[in-house]
Amino acid sequence: MAKDPLSEAGLHFDELNKLRILEPDVGQKTTELKEECKEFVDKIGQFQKIVGGLIEMVDDLAKEAEKEKMKMG
């Protein structure tokens, strides 16, 4: 079967019939990767908030422990 001359030249039409340089599957994979990256960045942000809260709580406990040592000492 003969290939489309535009495809052979590296040109493709998207779903809106716009001429694109990227192959459709590469464009789709790029979009999926972009979405996965955004989800990853969002999860990292949530993780940083959780860890920040944990560090703050441990610091508060350390201060309380130090106060108790001073009272006893």
Side-chain angles (χ1 to χ4, degrees), residues 35-47:
E35 290 170 4
E36 287 178 23
C37 288
K38 183 186 180 319
E39 290 174 12
F40 179 76
V41 168
D42 291 344
K43 287 180 182 179
I44 291 294
Q46 291 173 352
F47 178 76

Side-chain angles (χ1 to χ4, degrees), residues 2-53:
K3 281 188 106 181
D4 179 23
L6 288 176
S7 294
E8 287 180 4
L11 302 172
H12 309 275
F13 286 99
D14 67 7
E15 64 279 352
L16 300 175
N17 288 325
K18 289 186 177 182
L19 191 59
R20 302 288 181 191
I21 295 173
L22 281 178
E23 293 180 27
D25 62 326
V26 173
Q28 178 63 32
K29 288 179 183 176
T30 301
T31 302
E32 290 172 6
L33 181 60
K34 182 179 176 183
E35 290 170 4
E36 287 178 23
C37 288
K38 183 186 180 319
E39 290 174 12
F40 179 76
V41 168
D42 291 344
K43 287 180 182 179
I44 291 294
Q46 291 173 352
F47 178 76
Q48 286 178 325
K49 287 179 185 176
I50 292 168
V51 170

Side-chain angles (χ1 to χ4, degrees), residues 54-67:
L54 180 62
I55 290 171
E56 188 176 318
M57 186 172 60
V58 169
D59 284 345
D60 291 344
L61 289 172
K63 288 175 187 173
E64 288 296 319
E66 198 59 37
K67 286 180 188 176

